[in-house]
Amino acid sequence: MEFSSDAQKQTYEKITPWLREICGDFLRIREDIPSFGVGLGSAWLQVNVFAWGENDATVNARAYVVTQIEIVPDLMKYLLQANDAMRFGAFGIDQENDIFFDYTVVGSTIDKEELKALLFSVLYTADEHDDKIIQKWGGVRAIDRQ
C-alpha cells in the first residue's frame, strides 16, 4: 500500500488496531488503499485516511444513506435542517445524487474514544435516517443497492 505522506501512514497504523478492537469481525480492511469498511444495521461505513499536507492526515467516515433517489427541494430542505441539528458531521449529495453522511477528524490528535465516537455517530445517523428518507421520497438504502 502506498501512502502520500508519513503522517498518513502513521495515522493509518495508529487507528488500525483500534478499529480491529472496536469493530471485530465486522471490519473489512482494504489492501490497496488506506481504507476500511464496517457494516451495522442498514448502514455501511467507509473509513478513509487521507493525507492533509505533509505533516498531518484526516480520518474520514462516510456512510452512504440512500441511492437511486430524485433530489427534490423538500428533500434538500430536510437534509439541510437535519444538518443544523447535527453536533458532528453532515449530510451531502455526491455526483450521482446519492445521499451520504460524512464526518472528518484530524489524524494526529485522534484517540481511540474519538475514533469510536466517529464510527458510531456516522453509522447511527445513516441507520436512523435511511428509512425516514425512503418512506417519504423513495430511493434505495445504500446497503441494499445492487
mmCIF file of all heavy atoms in Angstrom, residues 83-134:
data_model
loop_
_atom_site.group_PDB
_atom_site.id
_atom_site.type_symbol
_atom_site.label_atom_id
_atom_site.label_comp_id
_atom_site.label_asym_id
_atom_site.label_seq_id
_atom_site.Cartn_x
_atom_site.Cartn_y
_atom_site.Cartn_z
ATOM 1 N N ASN A 83 -28.918 18.742 9.102
ATOM 2 C CA ASN A 83 -27.541 19.188 9.344
ATOM 3 C C ASN A 83 -27.479 20.214 10.466
ATOM 4 O O ASN A 83 -26.548 20.211 11.279
ATOM 5 C CB ASN A 83 -26.921 19.773 8.076
ATOM 6 C CG ASN A 83 -26.478 18.731 7.096
ATOM 7 O OD1 ASN A 83 -26.381 17.551 7.404
ATOM 8 N ND2 ASN A 83 -26.215 19.160 5.872
ATOM 9 N N ASP A 84 -28.463 21.086 10.507
ATOM 10 C CA ASP A 84 -28.488 22.118 11.531
ATOM 11 C C ASP A 84 -28.582 21.514 12.931
ATOM 12 O O ASP A 84 -28.075 22.091 13.894
ATOM 13 C CB ASP A 84 -29.668 23.062 11.283
ATOM 14 C CG ASP A 84 -29.708 24.206 12.280
ATOM 15 O OD1 ASP A 84 -28.666 24.872 12.489
ATOM 16 O OD2 ASP A 84 -30.781 24.426 12.881
ATOM 17 N N ALA A 85 -29.194 20.346 13.032
ATOM 18 C CA ALA A 85 -29.361 19.694 14.327
ATOM 19 C C ALA A 85 -28.188 18.774 14.686
ATOM 20 O O ALA A 85 -28.126 18.272 15.808
ATOM 21 C CB ALA A 85 -30.661 18.884 14.334
ATOM 22 N N MET A 86 -27.261 18.562 13.756
ATOM 23 C CA MET A 86 -26.146 17.643 13.993
ATOM 24 C C MET A 86 -25.072 18.294 14.844
ATOM 25 O O MET A 86 -24.714 19.451 14.639
ATOM 26 C CB MET A 86 -25.511 17.187 12.672
ATOM 27 C CG MET A 86 -26.401 16.373 11.796
ATOM 28 S SD MET A 86 -26.838 14.840 12.580
ATOM 29 C CE MET A 86 -28.256 14.397 11.591
ATOM 30 N N ARG A 87 -24.554 17.536 15.787
ATOM 31 C CA ARG A 87 -23.424 18.003 16.574
ATOM 32 C C ARG A 87 -22.137 17.848 15.775
ATOM 33 O O ARG A 87 -21.269 18.700 15.789
ATOM 34 C CB ARG A 87 -23.350 17.194 17.869
ATOM 35 C CG ARG A 87 -22.277 17.689 18.799
ATOM 36 C CD ARG A 87 -22.395 17.065 20.156
ATOM 37 N NE ARG A 87 -23.704 17.409 20.705
ATOM 38 C CZ ARG A 87 -24.326 16.711 21.640
ATOM 39 N NH1 ARG A 87 -23.784 15.647 22.140
ATOM 40 N NH2 ARG A 87 -25.499 17.072 22.094
ATOM 41 N N PHE A 88 -22.017 16.704 15.089
ATOM 42 C CA PHE A 88 -20.841 16.400 14.279
ATOM 43 C C PHE A 88 -21.310 15.809 12.965
ATOM 44 O O PHE A 88 -22.256 15.050 12.923
ATOM 45 C CB PHE A 88 -19.930 15.387 14.978
ATOM 46 C CG PHE A 88 -19.455 15.818 16.333
ATOM 47 C CD1 PHE A 88 -19.980 15.255 17.481
ATOM 48 C CD2 PHE A 88 -18.482 16.796 16.458
ATOM 49 C CE1 PHE A 88 -19.544 15.645 18.734
ATOM 50 C CE2 PHE A 88 -18.044 17.200 17.709
ATOM 51 C CZ PHE A 88 -18.578 16.629 18.849
ATOM 52 N N GLY A 89 -20.607 16.124 11.893
ATOM 53 C CA GLY A 89 -20.919 15.542 10.608
ATOM 54 C C GLY A 89 -22.044 16.259 9.896
ATOM 55 O O GLY A 89 -22.693 17.156 10.446
ATOM 56 N N ALA A 90 -22.256 15.845 8.642
ATOM 57 C CA ALA A 90 -23.288 16.478 7.821
ATOM 58 C C ALA A 90 -23.698 15.556 6.687
ATOM 59 O O ALA A 90 -22.912 14.724 6.229
ATOM 60 C CB ALA A 90 -22.760 17.795 7.242
ATOM 61 N N PHE A 91 -24.932 15.743 6.235
ATOM 62 C CA PHE A 91 -25.399 15.061 5.040
ATOM 63 C C PHE A 91 -24.839 15.756 3.820
ATOM 64 O O PHE A 91 -24.591 16.964 3.826
ATOM 65 C CB PHE A 91 -26.930 15.092 4.958
ATOM 66 C CG PHE A 91 -27.600 14.145 5.897
ATOM 67 C CD1 PHE A 91 -28.152 14.600 7.086
ATOM 68 C CD2 PHE A 91 -27.670 12.789 5.604
ATOM 69 C CE1 PHE A 91 -28.768 13.726 7.960
ATOM 70 C CE2 PHE A 91 -28.284 11.907 6.472
ATOM 71 C CZ PHE A 91 -28.833 12.378 7.653
ATOM 72 N N GLY A 92 -24.660 14.995 2.761
ATOM 73 C CA GLY A 92 -24.229 15.538 1.480
ATOM 74 C C GLY A 92 -24.828 14.726 0.355
ATOM 75 O O GLY A 92 -25.451 13.675 0.574
ATOM 76 N N ILE A 93 -24.633 15.223 -0.854
ATOM 77 C CA ILE A 93 -25.103 14.559 -2.068
ATOM 78 C C ILE A 93 -23.929 14.505 -3.028
ATOM 79 O O ILE A 93 -23.310 15.534 -3.325
ATOM 80 C CB ILE A 93 -26.279 15.327 -2.696
ATOM 81 C CG1 ILE A 93 -27.443 15.432 -1.702
ATOM 82 C CG2 ILE A 93 -26.723 14.655 -3.990
ATOM 83 C CD1 ILE A 93 -28.535 16.389 -2.128
ATOM 84 N N ASP A 94 -23.593 13.304 -3.506
ATOM 85 C CA ASP A 94 -22.446 13.173 -4.405
ATOM 86 C C ASP A 94 -22.846 13.417 -5.863
ATOM 87 O O ASP A 94 -23.990 13.794 -6.158
ATOM 88 C CB ASP A 94 -21.738 11.824 -4.219
ATOM 89 C CG ASP A 94 -22.537 10.637 -4.721
ATOM 90 O OD1 ASP A 94 -23.584 10.812 -5.383
ATOM 91 O OD2 ASP A 94 -22.104 9.495 -4.458
ATOM 92 N N GLN A 95 -21.918 13.220 -6.779
ATOM 93 C CA GLN A 95 -22.142 13.496 -8.206
ATOM 94 C C GLN A 95 -23.230 12.618 -8.826
ATOM 95 O O GLN A 95 -23.806 12.975 -9.839
ATOM 96 C CB GLN A 95 -20.829 13.321 -8.986
ATOM 97 C CG GLN A 95 -19.740 14.286 -8.592
ATOM 98 C CD GLN A 95 -20.112 15.722 -8.874
ATOM 99 O OE1 GLN A 95 -20.737 16.037 -9.880
ATOM 100 N NE2 GLN A 95 -19.733 16.623 -7.982
ATOM 101 N N GLU A 96 -23.499 11.461 -8.217
ATOM 102 C CA GLU A 96 -24.534 10.556 -8.732
ATOM 103 C C GLU A 96 -25.870 10.768 -8.018
ATOM 104 O O GLU A 96 -26.798 9.979 -8.175
ATOM 105 C CB GLU A 96 -24.096 9.089 -8.584
ATOM 106 C CG GLU A 96 -23.002 8.668 -9.551
ATOM 107 C CD GLU A 96 -21.620 9.127 -9.089
ATOM 108 O OE1 GLU A 96 -21.354 9.133 -7.868
ATOM 109 O OE2 GLU A 96 -20.808 9.493 -9.953
ATOM 110 N N ASN A 97 -25.967 11.828 -7.233
ATOM 111 C CA ASN A 97 -27.155 12.150 -6.434
ATOM 112 C C ASN A 97 -27.435 11.127 -5.340
ATOM 113 O O ASN A 97 -28.580 10.957 -4.912
ATOM 114 C CB ASN A 97 -28.393 12.357 -7.309
ATOM 115 C CG ASN A 97 -28.360 13.684 -8.036
ATOM 116 O OD1 ASN A 97 -27.688 14.615 -7.603
ATOM 117 N ND2 ASN A 97 -29.073 13.762 -9.134
ATOM 118 N N ASP A 98 -26.407 10.442 -4.878
ATOM 119 C CA ASP A 98 -26.533 9.555 -3.730
ATOM 120 C C ASP A 98 -26.359 10.391 -2.463
ATOM 121 O O ASP A 98 -25.501 11.275 -2.400
ATOM 122 C CB ASP A 98 -25.472 8.453 -3.758
ATOM 123 C CG ASP A 98 -25.630 7.513 -4.933
ATOM 124 O OD1 ASP A 98 -26.767 7.367 -5.437
ATOM 125 O OD2 ASP A 98 -24.621 6.908 -5.336
ATOM 126 N N ILE A 99 -27.163 10.106 -1.457
ATOM 127 C CA ILE A 99 -27.098 10.837 -0.188
ATOM 128 C C ILE A 99 -26.147 10.098 0.753
ATOM 129 O O ILE A 99 -26.234 8.877 0.908
ATOM 130 C CB ILE A 99 -28.490 10.945 0.449
ATOM 131 C CG1 ILE A 99 -29.436 11.727 -0.481
ATOM 132 C CG2 ILE A 99 -28.408 11.601 1.827
ATOM 133 C CD1 ILE A 99 -30.892 11.665 -0.057
ATOM 134 N N PHE A 100 -25.244 10.842 1.371
ATOM 135 C CA PHE A 100 -24.310 10.261 2.339
ATOM 136 C C PHE A 100 -24.296 11.103 3.600
ATOM 137 O O PHE A 100 -24.769 12.245 3.614
ATOM 138 C CB PHE A 100 -22.896 10.145 1.754
ATOM 139 C CG PHE A 100 -22.279 11.460 1.360
ATOM 140 C CD1 PHE A 100 -21.622 12.253 2.295
ATOM 141 C CD2 PHE A 100 -22.349 11.924 0.053
ATOM 142 C CE1 PHE A 100 -21.052 13.471 1.940
ATOM 143 C CE2 PHE A 100 -21.786 13.136 -0.311
ATOM 144 C CZ PHE A 100 -21.143 13.907 0.634
ATOM 145 N N PHE A 101 -23.756 10.524 4.666
ATOM 146 C CA PHE A 101 -23.468 11.263 5.889
ATOM 147 C C PHE A 101 -21.982 11.136 6.133
ATOM 148 O O PHE A 101 -21.420 10.043 6.036
ATOM 149 C CB PHE A 101 -24.256 10.732 7.089
ATOM 150 C CG PHE A 101 -24.120 11.611 8.295
ATOM 151 C CD1 PHE A 101 -24.834 12.786 8.394
ATOM 152 C CD2 PHE A 101 -23.247 11.282 9.320
ATOM 153 C CE1 PHE A 101 -24.695 13.622 9.494
ATOM 154 C CE2 PHE A 101 -23.098 12.105 10.430
ATOM 155 C CZ PHE A 101 -23.828 13.273 10.513
ATOM 156 N N ASP A 102 -21.320 12.227 6.465
ATOM 157 C CA ASP A 102 -19.872 12.318 6.439
ATOM 158 C C ASP A 102 -19.375 13.090 7.664
ATOM 159 O O ASP A 102 -19.997 14.071 8.070
ATOM 160 C CB ASP A 102 -19.530 13.075 5.145
ATOM 161 C CG ASP A 102 -18.091 13.077 4.795
ATOM 162 O OD1 ASP A 102 -17.668 12.153 4.105
ATOM 163 O OD2 ASP A 102 -17.395 14.036 5.175
ATOM 164 N N TYR A 103 -18.244 12.634 8.204
ATOM 165 C CA TYR A 103 -17.660 13.287 9.382
ATOM 166 C C TYR A 103 -16.151 13.063 9.303
ATOM 167 O O TYR A 103 -15.697 11.942 9.063
ATOM 168 C CB TYR A 103 -18.285 12.663 10.615
ATOM 169 C CG TYR A 103 -17.810 13.060 11.984
ATOM 170 C CD1 TYR A 103 -17.107 14.224 12.247
ATOM 171 C CD2 TYR A 103 -18.097 12.227 13.062
ATOM 172 C CE1 TYR A 103 -16.714 14.545 13.538
ATOM 173 C CE2 TYR A 103 -17.709 12.543 14.358
ATOM 174 C CZ TYR A 103 -17.018 13.705 14.584
ATOM 175 O OH TYR A 103 -16.626 14.014 15.864
ATOM 176 N N THR A 104 -15.360 14.119 9.512
ATOM 177 C CA THR A 104 -13.899 14.046 9.399
ATOM 178 C C THR A 104 -13.256 14.627 10.649
ATOM 179 O O THR A 104 -13.700 15.660 11.166
ATOM 180 C CB THR A 104 -13.408 14.827 8.160
ATOM 181 O OG1 THR A 104 -14.006 14.261 6.988
ATOM 182 C CG2 THR A 104 -11.897 14.764 8.024
ATOM 183 N N VAL A 105 -12.185 13.960 11.117
ATOM 184 C CA VAL A 105 -11.417 14.461 12.256
ATOM 185 C C VAL A 105 -9.929 14.496 11.888
ATOM 186 O O VAL A 105 -9.500 13.853 10.930
ATOM 187 C CB VAL A 105 -11.640 13.613 13.526
ATOM 188 C CG1 VAL A 105 -13.094 13.671 13.971
ATOM 189 C CG2 VAL A 105 -11.203 12.190 13.325
ATOM 190 N N VAL A 106 -9.170 15.213 12.674
ATOM 191 C CA VAL A 106 -7.730 15.351 12.450
ATOM 192 C C VAL A 106 -7.025 14.072 12.897
ATOM 193 O O VAL A 106 -7.264 13.563 13.998
ATOM 194 C CB VAL A 106 -7.174 16.575 13.207
ATOM 195 C CG1 VAL A 106 -5.665 16.682 13.044
ATOM 196 C CG2 VAL A 106 -7.862 17.848 12.728
ATOM 197 N N GLY A 107 -6.146 13.548 12.051
ATOM 198 C CA GLY A 107 -5.480 12.282 12.321
ATOM 199 C C GLY A 107 -4.445 12.328 13.429
ATOM 200 O O GLY A 107 -4.322 11.385 14.210
ATOM 201 N N SER A 108 -3.685 13.409 13.524
ATOM 202 C CA SER A 108 -2.591 13.448 14.507
ATOM 203 C C SER A 108 -3.089 13.493 15.943
ATOM 204 O O SER A 108 -2.375 13.081 16.859
ATOM 205 C CB SER A 108 -1.677 14.655 14.239
ATOM 206 O OG SER A 108 -2.419 15.854 14.361
ATOM 207 N N THR A 109 -4.305 13.976 16.155
ATOM 208 C CA THR A 109 -4.814 14.118 17.512
ATOM 209 C C THR A 109 -5.893 13.092 17.872
ATOM 210 O O THR A 109 -6.341 13.067 19.015
ATOM 211 C CB THR A 109 -5.382 15.535 17.729
ATOM 212 O OG1 THR A 109 -6.430 15.770 16.783
ATOM 213 C CG2 THR A 109 -4.283 16.582 17.578
ATOM 214 N N ILE A 110 -6.286 12.260 16.926
ATOM 215 C CA ILE A 110 -7.350 11.296 17.196
ATOM 216 C C ILE A 110 -6.891 10.283 18.247
ATOM 217 O O ILE A 110 -5.730 9.881 18.273
ATOM 218 C CB ILE A 110 -7.811 10.579 15.902
ATOM 219 C CG1 ILE A 110 -9.123 9.818 16.136
ATOM 220 C CG2 ILE A 110 -6.726 9.666 15.359
ATOM 221 C CD1 ILE A 110 -9.757 9.289 14.855
ATOM 222 N N ASP A 111 -7.807 9.937 19.141
ATOM 223 C CA ASP A 111 -7.552 8.844 20.084
ATOM 224 C C ASP A 111 -8.647 7.802 19.900
ATOM 225 O O ASP A 111 -9.558 7.981 19.101
ATOM 226 C CB ASP A 111 -7.447 9.348 21.524
ATOM 227 C CG ASP A 111 -8.715 10.009 22.046
ATOM 228 O OD1 ASP A 111 -9.823 9.705 21.539
ATOM 229 O OD2 ASP A 111 -8.620 10.823 22.966
ATOM 230 N N LYS A 112 -8.549 6.720 20.637
ATOM 231 C CA LYS A 112 -9.471 5.602 20.435
ATOM 232 C C LYS A 112 -10.922 5.996 20.724
ATOM 233 O O LYS A 112 -11.827 5.597 19.999
ATOM 234 C CB LYS A 112 -9.066 4.402 21.286
ATOM 235 C CG LYS A 112 -9.892 3.157 20.985
ATOM 236 C CD LYS A 112 -9.291 1.909 21.567
ATOM 237 C CE LYS A 112 -9.605 1.772 23.015
ATOM 238 N NZ LYS A 112 -9.212 0.487 23.594
ATOM 239 N N GLU A 113 -11.145 6.789 21.739
ATOM 240 C CA GLU A 113 -12.519 7.197 22.072
ATOM 241 C C GLU A 113 -13.107 8.105 21.000
ATOM 242 O O GLU A 113 -14.292 8.010 20.682
ATOM 243 C CB GLU A 113 -12.560 7.859 23.450
ATOM 244 C CG GLU A 113 -12.341 6.880 24.580
ATOM 245 C CD GLU A 113 -13.304 5.691 24.542
ATOM 246 O OE1 GLU A 113 -14.531 5.911 24.442
ATOM 247 O OE2 GLU A 113 -12.840 4.543 24.610
ATOM 248 N N GLU A 114 -12.298 8.999 20.443
ATOM 249 C CA GLU A 114 -12.784 9.862 19.372
ATOM 250 C C GLU A 114 -13.091 9.038 18.123
ATOM 251 O O GLU A 114 -14.085 9.274 17.441
ATOM 252 C CB GLU A 114 -11.777 10.964 19.041
ATOM 253 C CG GLU A 114 -12.304 11.948 18.018
ATOM 254 C CD GLU A 114 -11.350 13.087 17.725
ATOM 255 O OE1 GLU A 114 -10.121 12.917 17.908
ATOM 256 O OE2 GLU A 114 -11.838 14.148 17.295
ATOM 257 N N LEU A 115 -12.244 8.057 17.829
ATOM 258 C CA LEU A 115 -12.495 7.177 16.684
ATOM 259 C C LEU A 115 -13.803 6.411 16.873
ATOM 260 O O LEU A 115 -14.615 6.317 15.953
ATOM 261 C CB LEU A 115 -11.334 6.202 16.501
ATOM 262 C CG LEU A 115 -11.479 5.197 15.361
ATOM 263 C CD1 LEU A 115 -11.542 5.899 14.006
ATOM 264 C CD2 LEU A 115 -10.322 4.199 15.392
ATOM 265 N N LYS A 116 -14.024 5.902 18.060
ATOM 266 C CA LYS A 116 -15.264 5.174 18.349
ATOM 267 C C LYS A 116 -16.478 6.093 18.182
ATOM 268 O O LYS A 116 -17.483 5.706 17.586
ATOM 269 C CB LYS A 116 -15.205 4.613 19.773
ATOM 270 C CG LYS A 116 -16.309 3.684 20.128
ATOM 271 C CD LYS A 116 -16.054 3.091 21.517
ATOM 272 C CE LYS A 116 -17.130 2.116 21.915
ATOM 273 N NZ LYS A 116 -16.872 1.544 23.238
ATOM 274 N N ALA A 117 -16.383 7.312 18.679
ATOM 275 C CA ALA A 117 -17.478 8.279 18.524
ATOM 276 C C ALA A 117 -17.716 8.597 17.048
ATOM 277 O O ALA A 117 -18.867 8.703 16.604
ATOM 278 C CB ALA A 117 -17.166 9.555 19.307
ATOM 279 N N LEU A 118 -16.643 8.741 16.289
ATOM 280 C CA LEU A 118 -16.732 8.994 14.850
ATOM 281 C C LEU A 118 -17.499 7.866 14.164
ATOM 282 O O LEU A 118 -18.457 8.103 13.428
ATOM 283 C CB LEU A 118 -15.322 9.127 14.270
ATOM 284 C CG LEU A 118 -15.155 9.153 12.761
ATOM 285 C CD1 LEU A 118 -15.644 10.462 12.189
ATOM 286 C CD2 LEU A 118 -13.696 8.936 12.397
ATOM 287 N N LEU A 119 -17.091 6.640 14.420
ATOM 288 C CA LEU A 119 -17.721 5.481 13.777
ATOM 289 C C LEU A 119 -19.204 5.390 14.110
ATOM 290 O O LEU A 119 -20.046 5.283 13.213
ATOM 291 C CB LEU A 119 -17.046 4.186 14.236
ATOM 292 C CG LEU A 119 -15.575 3.997 13.929
ATOM 293 C CD1 LEU A 119 -15.070 2.721 14.587
ATOM 294 C CD2 LEU A 119 -15.325 3.979 12.444
ATOM 295 N N PHE A 120 -19.511 5.411 15.387
ATOM 296 C CA PHE A 120 -20.884 5.169 15.784
ATOM 297 C C PHE A 120 -21.811 6.337 15.490
ATOM 298 O O PHE A 120 -22.994 6.133 15.207
ATOM 299 C CB PHE A 120 -20.949 4.721 17.240
ATOM 300 C CG PHE A 120 -20.433 3.325 17.405
ATOM 301 C CD1 PHE A 120 -19.219 3.096 18.024
ATOM 302 C CD2 PHE A 120 -21.124 2.240 16.888
ATOM 303 C CE1 PHE A 120 -18.715 1.804 18.148
ATOM 304 C CE2 PHE A 120 -20.637 0.946 17.004
ATOM 305 C CZ PHE A 120 -19.429 0.725 17.638
ATOM 306 N N SER A 121 -21.304 7.554 15.504
ATOM 307 C CA SER A 121 -22.177 8.677 15.158
ATOM 308 C C SER A 121 -22.560 8.618 13.681
ATOM 309 O O SER A 121 -23.714 8.861 13.315
ATOM 310 C CB SER A 121 -21.533 10.019 15.512
ATOM 311 O OG SER A 121 -20.387 10.256 14.743
ATOM 312 N N VAL A 122 -21.627 8.260 12.817
ATOM 313 C CA VAL A 122 -21.932 8.177 11.391
ATOM 314 C C VAL A 122 -22.833 6.972 11.107
ATOM 315 O O VAL A 122 -23.838 7.093 10.397
ATOM 316 C CB VAL A 122 -20.644 8.134 10.542
ATOM 317 C CG1 VAL A 122 -20.967 7.891 9.070
ATOM 318 C CG2 VAL A 122 -19.868 9.437 10.703
ATOM 319 N N LEU A 123 -22.501 5.820 11.665
ATOM 320 C CA LEU A 123 -23.343 4.632 11.456
ATOM 321 C C LEU A 123 -24.756 4.848 11.992
ATOM 322 O O LEU A 123 -25.742 4.539 11.316
ATOM 323 C CB LEU A 123 -22.717 3.410 12.134
ATOM 324 C CG LEU A 123 -21.567 2.745 11.399
ATOM 325 C CD1 LEU A 123 -20.853 1.765 12.310
ATOM 326 C CD2 LEU A 123 -22.062 2.045 10.139
ATOM 327 N N TYR A 124 -24.870 5.366 13.178
ATOM 328 C CA TYR A 124 -26.179 5.576 13.789
ATOM 329 C C TYR A 124 -27.009 6.570 12.975
ATOM 330 O O TYR A 124 -28.196 6.339 12.728
ATOM 331 C CB TYR A 124 -26.018 6.067 15.230
ATOM 332 C CG TYR A 124 -27.341 6.413 15.871
ATOM 333 C CD1 TYR A 124 -28.182 5.416 16.365
ATOM 334 C CD2 TYR A 124 -27.753 7.739 15.963
ATOM 335 C CE1 TYR A 124 -29.405 5.741 16.936
ATOM 336 C CE2 TYR A 124 -28.976 8.065 16.534
ATOM 337 C CZ TYR A 124 -29.799 7.062 17.012
ATOM 338 O OH TYR A 124 -31.013 7.392 17.568
ATOM 339 N N THR A 125 -26.394 7.662 12.557
ATOM 340 C CA THR A 125 -27.127 8.680 11.809
ATOM 341 C C THR A 125 -27.620 8.117 10.481
ATOM 342 O O THR A 125 -28.783 8.333 10.099
ATOM 343 C CB THR A 125 -26.249 9.920 11.581
ATOM 344 O OG1 THR A 125 -25.850 10.437 12.856
ATOM 345 C CG2 THR A 125 -26.990 10.995 10.812
ATOM 346 N N ALA A 126 -26.770 7.401 9.766
ATOM 347 C CA ALA A 126 -27.188 6.810 8.490
ATOM 348 C C ALA A 126 -28.309 5.801 8.711
ATOM 349 O O ALA A 126 -29.305 5.789 7.981
ATOM 350 C CB ALA A 126 -25.999 6.141 7.803
ATOM 351 N N ASP A 127 -28.155 4.958 9.720
ATOM 352 C CA ASP A 127 -29.161 3.932 10.006
ATOM 353 C C ASP A 127 -30.482 4.559 10.445
ATOM 354 O O ASP A 127 -31.554 4.070 10.113
ATOM 355 C CB ASP A 127 -28.627 2.989 11.085
ATOM 356 C CG ASP A 127 -29.491 1.767 11.284
ATOM 357 O OD1 ASP A 127 -29.910 1.158 10.284
ATOM 358 O OD2 ASP A 127 -29.747 1.406 12.445
ATOM 359 N N GLU A 128 -30.419 5.657 11.163
ATOM 360 C CA GLU A 128 -31.617 6.333 11.645
ATOM 361 C C GLU A 128 -32.380 7.022 10.515
ATOM 362 O O GLU A 128 -33.613 7.038 10.510
ATOM 363 C CB GLU A 128 -31.233 7.365 12.706
ATOM 364 C CG GLU A 128 -32.400 8.167 13.231
ATOM 365 C CD GLU A 128 -31.986 9.280 14.177
ATOM 366 O OE1 GLU A 128 -30.797 9.628 14.236
ATOM 367 O OE2 GLU A 128 -32.871 9.811 14.851
ATOM 368 N N HIS A 129 -31.676 7.594 9.553
ATOM 369 C CA HIS A 129 -32.323 8.433 8.548
ATOM 370 C C HIS A 129 -32.667 7.712 7.247
ATOM 371 O O HIS A 129 -33.519 8.203 6.497
ATOM 372 C CB HIS A 129 -31.448 9.658 8.238
ATOM 373 C CG HIS A 129 -31.466 10.663 9.343
ATOM 374 N ND1 HIS A 129 -32.397 11.673 9.422
ATOM 375 C CD2 HIS A 129 -30.688 10.794 10.444
ATOM 376 C CE1 HIS A 129 -32.181 12.393 10.503
ATOM 377 N NE2 HIS A 129 -31.138 11.883 11.142
ATOM 378 N N ASP A 130 -32.055 6.580 6.940
ATOM 379 C CA ASP A 130 -32.324 5.962 5.635
ATOM 380 C C ASP A 130 -33.791 5.590 5.461
ATOM 381 O O ASP A 130 -34.407 5.905 4.430
ATOM 382 C CB ASP A 130 -31.392 4.774 5.353
ATOM 383 C CG ASP A 130 -31.439 3.652 6.363
ATOM 384 O OD1 ASP A 130 -32.247 3.710 7.318
ATOM 385 O OD2 ASP A 130 -30.648 2.703 6.206
ATOM 386 N N ASP A 131 -34.387 4.958 6.454
ATOM 387 C CA ASP A 131 -35.793 4.560 6.329
ATOM 388 C C ASP A 131 -36.728 5.768 6.278
ATOM 389 O O ASP A 131 -37.724 5.756 5.548
ATOM 390 C CB ASP A 131 -36.190 3.624 7.476
ATOM 391 C CG ASP A 131 -35.483 2.276 7.381
ATOM 392 O OD1 ASP A 131 -35.245 1.814 6.251
ATOM 393 O OD2 ASP A 131 -35.151 1.704 8.433
ATOM 394 N N LYS A 132 -36.410 6.814 7.045
ATOM 395 C CA LYS A 132 -37.236 8.028 7.020
ATOM 396 C C LYS A 132 -37.234 8.648 5.631
ATOM 397 O O LYS A 132 -38.277 9.068 5.116
ATOM 398 C CB LYS A 132 -36.706 9.055 8.026
ATOM 399 C CG LYS A 132 -36.900 8.688 9.467
ATOM 400 C CD LYS A 132 -36.290 9.756 10.364
ATOM 401 C CE LYS A 132 -36.345 9.376 11.820
ATOM 402 N NZ LYS A 132 -35.716 10.378 12.680
ATOM 403 N N ILE A 133 -36.061 8.719 5.013
ATOM 404 C CA ILE A 133 -35.941 9.325 3.687
ATOM 405 C C ILE A 133 -36.675 8.483 2.653
ATOM 406 O O ILE A 133 -37.450 9.005 1.838
ATOM 407 C CB ILE A 133 -34.456 9.522 3.317
ATOM 408 C CG1 ILE A 133 -33.831 10.591 4.217
ATOM 409 C CG2 ILE A 133 -34.305 9.888 1.842
ATOM 410 C CD1 ILE A 133 -32.317 10.676 4.140
ATOM 411 N N ILE A 134 -36.462 7.183 2.665
ATOM 412 C CA ILE A 134 -37.095 6.302 1.683
ATOM 413 C C ILE A 134 -38.610 6.324 1.823
ATOM 414 O O ILE A 134 -39.339 6.333 0.823
ATOM 415 C CB ILE A 134 -36.534 4.868 1.804
ATOM 416 C CG1 ILE A 134 -35.097 4.851 1.301
ATOM 417 C CG2 ILE A 134 -37.385 3.871 1.027
ATOM 418 C CD1 ILE A 134 -34.352 3.580 1.630
#
